[in-house]
Amino acid sequence: EDKVVQSPLSLVVHEGDTVTLNCSYEVTNFRSLLWYKQEKKAPTFLFMLTSSGIEKKSGRLSSILDKKELFSILNITATQTGDSAVYLCAVENYPMNRDDKIIFGKGTRLHILP
Amino acid sequence: GAVVSQHPSWVICKSGTSVKIECRSLDFQATTMFWYRQFPKQSLMLMATSNEGSKATYEQGVEKDKFLINHASLTLSTLTVTSAHPEDSSFYICSACLEGPLPRGGELFFGEGSRLTVL
């Protein structure tokens, strides 16, 4: 069964701390892994990862994929209160057949204390 | 728990036909569901908010007569793409809002998406 598991489910840290969010997956035909930040109803795209070992970076956020161990991490350094959100990990299945899917994890709810 | 199912996961249709996509919350009730359209390497675009027992609320720029939404029960919302054209080809995703108190209340649970290809 295809699945995406995120950990932790919830995390509370102080402003300025660094956090690491985890996403592990088991899918039949991996295509890409996506990270989103969800504050309201529509998640905002952060990163798309398709290759192992290549770090993607955007400001204080960075992410890397390990296709051998089937996981990805999302790092946020020098956290700010505006980083408080639910961070979603999703995996796209390669469209080799009719089962083109995107599978979301349950998300990590991050709360940054001032 | 908190599983959301979409059907069909993949559909091809001819231009001018209508296609219905279902979104079901399998083990919880959801008075609010959301429909999104995913563009490659971009955010999920919110199309509309589906409210059980009332009319859907559409985002600006989304044609309500083209994308008909019906939320007839607490576990089912449907999106019908009417008179589909090739530019409607996309990946459509739904989510359902788990109601109740924190920590899980208010969380969104996503379906696996439905890929529509219009020839």
Side-chain angles (χ1 to χ4, degrees):
Chain A
E1 181 189 348
D2 296 334
K3 60 181 179 181
V4 174
V5 178
Q6 290 186 246
S7 64
L9 285 179
S10 182
L11 186 58
V12 180
V13 300
H14 288 280
E15 203 167 22
D17 288 349
T18 293
V19 297
T20 298
L21 310 183
N22 303 291
C23 176
S24 64
Y25 61 91
E26 289 180 35
V27 297
T28 48
N29 298 299
F30 177 88
R31 178 179 189 178
S32 65
L33 186 143
L34 305 137
W35 283 99
Y36 294 91
K37 178 182 182 181
Q38 184 196 329
E39 293 173 279
K40 297 179 181 177
K41 293 177 287 188
T44 303
F45 172 83
L46 295 175
F47 299 111
M48 173 184 275
L49 302 159
T50 55
S51 301
S52 276
I54 300 173
E55 184 183 52
K56 294 222 172 176
K57 203 169 169 62
S58 176
R60 295 176 294 103
L61 277 65
S62 64
S63 184
I64 198 162
L65 174 68
D66 186 329
K67 291 169 74 174
K68 183 179 177 184
E69 300 297 329
L70 308 182
F71 78 93
S72 172
I73 59 172
L74 174 68
N75 275 325
I76 308 175
T77 59
T79 52
Q80 303 170 357
T81 54
D83 295 327
S84 296
V86 175
Y87 290 84
L88 293 166
C89 172
V91 172
E92 289 183 314
N93 268 5
Y94 191 78
M96 293 176 66
N97 53 33
R98 296 191 169 210
D99 252 350
D100 189 2
K101 291 180 185 174
I102 182 166
I103 304 163
F104 282 86
K106 300 294 186 196
T108 293
R109 187 184 290 270
L110 177 63
H111 184 63
I112 310 296
L113 299 171
Chain B
V3 175
V4 174
S5 172
Q6 276 186 245
H7 177 81
S9 57
W10 195 89
V11 58
I12 296 177
C13 69
K14 290 183 179 180
S15 188
T17 60
S18 295
V19 175
K20 180 187 283 188
I21 301 170
E22 294 184 347
C23 178
R24 292 181 186 273
S25 56
L26 296 184
D27 50 2
F28 66 102
Q29 294 182 333
T31 55
T32 305
M33 294 185 176
F34 302 96
W35 286 97
Y36 311 85
R37 185 169 174 175
Q38 187 196 31
F39 296 96
K41 296 185 179 181
Q42 295 184 36
S43 297
L44 298 177
M45 185 196 82
L46 179 64
M47 299 174 64
T49 302
S50 173
N51 305 295
E52 188 270 335
S54 63
K55 291 182 179 180
T57 304
Y58 289 83
E59 297 299 304
Q60 191 172 10
V62 178
E63 298 176 60
K64 62 180 181 181
D65 294 329
K66 180 163 185 66
F67 298 100
L68 299 178
I69 291 172
N70 184 278
H71 195 150
S73 77
L74 288 171
T75 59
L76 173 64
S77 175
T78 60
L79 168 69
T80 301
V81 184
T82 62
S83 187
H85 289 97
E87 57 266 29
D88 298 324
S89 298
S90 191
F91 203 57
Y92 293 88
I93 301 168
C94 74
S95 70
C97 183
L98 179 66
E99 297 172 13
L102 292 174
R104 305 309 302 278
E107 282 193 38
L108 296 183
F109 294 88
F110 291 81
E112 295 182 338
S114 300
R115 171 137 342 251
L116 170 63
T117 301
V118 184
L119 302 176

